[in-house]
Amino acid sequence: MTSSLKTKLEQHMVYLILVCILIIAQLFSPGYLAPTHLAGILRLSSFMGIAAIGQTLVILTGGIDLSVAATITLANVMGAQIMMGNNQNIPLAIVVVVLIGIVIGIANGIGIQFLRIPPFIMTLGVGCVVQGLYMIYTNGAPKGNTAPFLSTLCNESVGGLLSGIVVAWAVLSVFTIVMLKKTPVGRYIYSVGSNKTASRFSGIATEKVIFIVYILSSVMAALAGFFLVGYTGTSYLDVGATYVNGTIAAVIIGGTAITGGKGGYVGTIAGAITMTVLNDLLVIVDIPQAGRQMAQGAIIILLVLLYAREKARNH
């Protein structure tokens, strides 16, 4: 079996896993598979899916982004405070949120590429700095609220089935998949993840690739934080807390190797929905928050071990 075929099978296997989890959820909670409820699950998955776009790109290069949670929260706080319930303030809020993502991504890229700080350490440190910034800025009490248009986009559905945030996720998903499969940037990302040194000798500007993926990761996380204002109506200091483990788990469940160079966003889409359904199922069976976090951690550890074993076997 060729490597590309194995990758495709791994990416599509998550869809089978998702179907199995949905059937189990239906058994525990009759009516779970009702179209309107599934539409709600898809809407909730959108925020995880958007944040996981950047995490997918970063992990494909062999890196990781632990600043996602802090980026989401800072964008959430700033977006709410700029909008202040006024639709006219949405364009300014989006610009600020995107700039926040770009600055955080550049900081991560500088540390990783030029200071040679491992991605795990650099993004963790940047996340702590960002967390300190929004704690100082808000003094522990964030203000502001969503604009009516953003609330409608993130909460209301046409016919109870299709909401604006799901459409936004779909557009971003198509853009990401096309970029990875059909553009030179996508090929460079896979090449850097497979062998960074060989990529550099083959003429690929690895520095630019690293900067691009970390900037995109932070921008996607910031947009997720912005959309979350619309979903919740206001900002919260712990709004991004679950998104580091969640996005990493979604990427790995979706068949992207933690070592980089293999996988893609097609699997991550199902991974994001799977994580949302799994968390929902654990709530249904009355598992506390601590137990749900332990389950996420166990899933990540198990899948990393499986990928490491597979890589060792191939070598």
Side-chain angles (χ1 to χ4, degrees):
M1 186 181 296
T2 64
S3 176
S4 61
L5 180 57
K6 287 176 69 177
T7 298
K8 289 181 179 179
L9 288 175
E10 288 170 355
Q11 283 191 280
H12 289 88
M13 183 63 69
V14 66
Y15 286 89
L16 178 60
I17 295 172
L18 174 58
V19 170
C20 292
I21 294 176
L22 286 170
I23 293 172
I24 293 171
Q26 172 67 20
L27 294 175
F28 276 99
S29 178
Y32 194 90
L33 295 181
T36 52
H37 185 264
L38 289 179
I41 291 294
L42 194 59
R43 182 169 61 248
L44 191 58
S45 302
S46 300
F47 307 104
M48 181 72 72
I50 291 171
I53 289 175
Q55 194 73 266
T56 300
L57 301 179
V58 166
I59 291 178
L60 279 173
T61 63
I64 198 165
D65 190 352
L66 300 184
S67 64
V68 165
T71 303
I72 287 174
T73 303
L74 179 58
N76 186 265
V77 167
M78 293 300 297
Q81 188 138 347
I82 293 172
M83 282 186 288
M84 282 293 184
N86 192 333
N87 285 335
Q88 294 179 347
N89 294 335
I90 290 178
L92 176 60
I94 293 175
V95 170
V96 172
V97 161
V98 170
L99 286 175
I100 287 171
I102 291 173
V103 170
I104 294 173
I106 290 174
N108 282 328
I110 290 173
I112 293 165
Q113 187 58 44
F114 294 113
L115 302 181
R116 306 299 181 190
I117 301 173
F120 182 94
I121 302 299
M122 186 62 201
T123 58
L124 179 63
V126 168
C128 290
V129 171
V130 173
Q131 184 179 23
L133 289 174
Y134 67 67
M135 289 297 292
I136 293 172
Y137 179 74
T138 64
N139 197 26
K143 300 177 179 63
N145 56 302
T146 187
F149 175 79
L150 187 61
S151 179
T152 300
L153 180 75
C154 296
N155 289 291
E156 296 186 13
S157 303
V158 178
L161 297 177
L162 187 64
S163 60
I165 185 63
V166 174
V167 174
W169 181 27
V171 171
L172 290 171
S173 297
V174 170
F175 173 82
T176 303
I177 293 168
V178 170
M179 182 189 72
L180 285 174
K181 291 182 177 294
K182 303 295 183 181
T183 69
V185 173
R187 293 193 292 272
Y188 297 159
I189 288 172
Y190 281 105
S191 179
V192 170
S194 298
N195 192 317
K196 187 175 180 180
T197 301
S199 298
R200 185 183 298 111
F201 283 123
S202 66
I204 295 174
T206 56
E207 297 86 356
K208 291 183 180 179
V209 174
I210 295 298
F211 268 93
I212 287 172
V213 296
Y214 279 97
I215 289 173
L216 286 176
S217 180
S218 294
V219 168
M220 289 299 108
L223 287 175
F226 174 74
F227 286 129
L228 279 167
V229 181
Y231 183 71
T232 62
T234 187
S235 59
Y236 299 95
L237 290 182
D238 61 347
V239 68
T242 62
Y243 282 84
V244 173
N245 291 342
T247 54
I248 293 171
V251 173
I252 298 173
I253 290 173
T256 296
I258 194 69
T259 50
K262 186 177 73 171
Y265 190 68
V266 172
T268 300
I269 293 171
I273 300 172
T274 299
M275 289 304 300
T276 302
V277 174
L278 181 60
N279 187 69
D280 201 34
L281 178 59
L282 293 174
V283 172
I284 290 172
V285 298
D286 202 26
I287 301 296
Q289 177 64 27
R292 300 198 294 273
Q293 289 181 333
M294 290 171 64
Q296 283 188 0
I299 290 170
I300 293 172
I301 292 171
L302 176 62
L303 290 170
V304 169
L305 289 174
L306 288 174
Y307 278 122
R309 183 179 178 182
E310 181 67 22
K311 185 177 180 181
R313 185 189 302 172
N314 292 337
H315 284 74

